[in-house]
Amino acid sequence: MHDIRFIRENPEQFDEDLKRRFYAAPEGASSWSAKILELDEKVREAVGRKQEAETTRNQSSKLIGKAKATGDEAEAQRLMAAVAEAKKTIEEAGEAEADALNARDAILMSLPNLPYADVPLGEGEEENEEVRRWGEPKPLGFEPKSHDQVGEALTVGAAGAQMDFESAVRMSGSRFVALKGPLARLERALSAFMLDIQTTEHGYTEVSPPLLVQDRALVGTGQLPKFGEDLFLTTAGHYLIPTAEVSLTNLVREDILAEDQLPLRMTAHTPCFRSEAGSAGRDTKGMIRLHQFNKVELVSVTRPEESDEELERMTGCAEAVLQKLGLAYRVMKLSSGDMGFGARRTYDLEVWLPSQDTYREISSCSTCGDFQARRMDSKFRRKDAKKPEFVHTLNGSGLAVGRTLVAVVENYQNEDGSITVPEALQPYMGGITKIESVS
């Protein structure tokens, strides 16, 4: 949600920033600010008429009794007519205000967050800027197989493939997988490993949040109303969360926090559900892009002056997982057109996948400023301050568990088809140091 006062005071900057997000002016208007301010003026004009009529009604109502007491029936009738007319004006102005306000706020809800000045200008990933790299892709000494080739070749007795796409497709359709035996344990180990790092080393509070939310929660974080096609809606009217960002961030909706509660840092391991609308033909094989996947999410709620520093910290917290796993990666600052709807600045972590001979996204860390806070009405009050302020919110993957499993399988594969368990994960694997077929 955008600050209407900012738009009133800085219309040119607002339009320029939206142009950097490649949002053309709306049909029939010279710019977004012009359309918004036209409706805003209607809101303010209606409010003015309503307030004026309320004043007339209140003053006239007080005088009716006096006129009757003095026997001036004509004056009393005139005042009663004025009250009736004022009530009619109040009702009409109220309807006009509501109509204009709904139209104005519908536009404000549909527009993305404004990028910071340092965000690279560009429509897609081609304009993303590399910030840094960590580690070097280790040579395997043989032709690497893709994670799905490795996983499907590993078996667990009569249960079949440890990475079973065929059975999952029969029950659920495309973009699903069933993990079995040691690979299922590896996925569980990764989740526990990530949570332990974020809670014991980085100070995040672990949360077990709802997986089903109402539409207002998704409006709060920006998935609705614009991206409904990407979501799964139940017959009971609840949505399956596309990311734990939704649940964690909404824990502070309609709340006024004390200043000493900030920064508030939370983490959760949850399944996530996405329809992947618009991704037809992309990553149709393997576990890169599934309808259901596990993720460890990071969310921070901060004072406005702390959010930039918090983004750097959060990105480092996500990087720590990859470093402990010994996986080479790079950090990319996303371009203005490649960022998510609610972000003002985003860093993507991209991990090396030897089968693709390239880096692929494994985490996104974003600062949203007060964009989500305004939609959720989430505030804090500084010590000794009377008026509360909107908080800033941030979110990031710490990490996407399925994609991390993909990276581990590909980077730690052996020529005989087995997978060496990274040293950092061995305490979570019950003594298993190598994943092989199980009879």
Side-chain angles (χ1 to χ4, degrees):
M1 188 74 168
H2 294 283
D3 182 358
I4 187 63
R5 287 175 297 179
F6 175 83
I7 301 173
R8 291 171 187 158
E9 296 168 4
N10 306 276
E12 295 85 3
Q13 182 180 340
F14 182 76
D15 290 330
E16 189 60 34
D17 286 344
L18 280 179
K19 287 178 183 177
R20 296 185 66 223
R21 296 294 309 250
F22 299 94
Y23 269 61
E27 186 176 351
S30 59
S31 66
W32 283 107
S33 67
K35 181 65 175 177
I36 293 166
L37 293 177
E38 176 188 349
L39 292 167
D40 185 55
E41 183 58 33
K42 291 181 179 180
V43 173
R44 301 171 84 178
E45 187 272 335
V47 169
R49 284 196 294 123
K50 186 170 71 173
Q51 290 175 341
E52 184 178 343
E54 287 171 344
T55 299
T56 300
R57 179 196 61 187
N58 295 339
Q59 291 175 344
S60 298
S61 295
K62 291 178 182 179
L63 295 173
I64 290 172
K66 292 181 181 180
K68 288 187 174 183
T70 60
D72 191 345
E73 188 61 30
E75 178 64 7
Q77 290 298 321
R78 187 190 70 79
L79 291 169
M80 285 190 287
V83 169
E85 184 64 26
K87 287 181 178 178
K88 181 181 178 181
T89 300
I90 290 169
E91 183 177 337
E92 291 174 348
E95 291 176 357
E97 177 194 0
D99 289 344
L101 187 63
N102 288 336
R104 186 197 74 182
D105 288 353
I107 294 176
L108 293 177
M109 281 287 189
S110 72
L111 295 174
N113 208 345
L114 305 179
Y116 281 126
D118 66 328
V119 170
L121 178 65
E123 294 190 60
E125 61 184 25
E126 294 78 12
E127 290 80 23
N128 295 346
E129 291 182 359
E130 184 173 321
V131 178
R132 57 183 173 272
R133 294 192 182 201
W134 185 91
E136 292 291 334
K138 63 178 183 179
L140 296 177
F142 57 90
E143 185 68 26
K145 295 180 179 178
S146 64
H147 66 279
D148 52 300
Q149 291 175 318
V150 175
E152 288 182 307
L154 293 169
T155 58
V156 55
Q162 292 188 33
M163 188 178 290
D164 189 349
F165 295 98
E166 185 178 344
S167 298
V169 167
R170 283 201 300 268
M171 73 174 88
S172 302
S174 61
R175 298 188 188 274
F176 288 92
V177 67
L179 298 176
K180 306 172 190 173
L183 276 185
R185 181 159 191 164
L186 180 62
E187 182 185 46
R188 174 160 55 94
L190 282 166
S191 302
F193 171 66
M194 293 174 189
L195 283 174
D196 284 351
I197 290 174
Q198 305 306 346
T199 55
T200 64
E201 298 183 20
H202 299 147
Y204 287 86
T205 298
E206 184 174 353
V207 178
S208 179
L211 305 182
L212 293 167
V213 296
Q214 295 178 328
D215 55 0
R216 63 173 177 261
L218 291 149
V219 170
T221 46
Q223 284 81 10
L224 288 177
K226 193 171 180 63
F227 302 103
E229 65 177 2
D230 292 328
L231 304 170
F232 287 107
L233 176 62
T234 72
T235 54
H238 288 86
Y239 288 87
L240 292 166
I241 59 168
T243 164
E245 169 202 344
V246 176
S247 303
L248 294 178
T249 310
N250 273 277
L251 287 174
V252 298
R253 77 174 292 118
E254 299 170 14
D255 205 353
I256 300 177
L257 303 171
E259 186 176 13
D260 60 10
Q261 291 179 266
L262 304 177
L264 178 62
R265 300 181 177 115
M266 298 172 285
T267 185
H269 165 241
T270 67
C272 305
F273 306 89
R274 299 182 186 177
S275 71
E276 293 296 341
S279 66
R282 296 179 59 194
D283 300 308
T284 54
K285 291 189 62 179
M287 291 181 58
I288 294 292
R289 198 176 299 276
L290 300 175
H291 290 310
Q292 175 187 321
F293 58 95
N294 291 308
K295 183 156 65 80
V296 171
E297 185 72 2
L298 307 175
V299 162
S300 294
V301 182
T302 74
R303 298 185 301 171
E305 63 269 24
E306 296 172 334
S307 59
D308 283 352
E309 182 180 348
E310 185 70 12
L311 177 60
E312 303 301 324
R313 181 190 188 277
M314 178 181 283
T315 305
C317 293
E319 289 181 72
V321 178
L322 293 172
Q323 291 176 10
K324 291 176 184 291
L325 292 174
L327 296 171
Y329 67 89
R330 65 182 183 181
V331 181
M332 306 293 290
K333 182 188 289 187
L334 298 196
S335 71
S336 56
D338 200 31
M339 289 195 305
F341 181 80
R344 297 206 70 181
R345 182 189 297 119
T346 297
Y347 294 123
D348 267 9
L349 306 187
E350 298 181 346
V351 69
W352 178 257
L353 293 185
S355 73
Q356 299 185 22
D357 194 34
T358 192
Y359 292 91
R360 294 298 304 271
E361 178 199 341
I362 198 169
S363 170
S364 283
C365 297
S366 301
T367 178
C368 300
D370 62 5
F371 185 79
Q372 293 177 327
R374 289 181 178 278
R375 297 166 80 104
M376 297 185 303
D377 195 23
S378 301
K379 299 178 180 179
F380 78 105
R381 181 177 281 110
R382 297 183 190 272
K383 186 178 179 181
D384 301 326
K386 292 183 179 181
K387 187 177 180 180
E389 305 172 38
F390 287 108
V391 297
H392 278 199
T393 60
L394 303 94
N395 63 81
S397 306
L399 306 162
V401 178
R403 292 194 179 192
T404 309
L405 185 143
V406 166
V408 168
V409 168
E410 293 207 3
N411 284 279
Y412 284 90
Q413 64 178 294
N414 300 307
E415 193 167 10
D416 63 1
S418 64
I419 305 164
T420 299
V421 176
E423 186 176 346
L425 292 178
Q426 291 178 12
Y428 297 85
M429 290 293 290
I432 298 174
T433 60
K434 185 179 288 188
I435 295 177
E436 303 174 288
S437 291
V438 180
S439 59

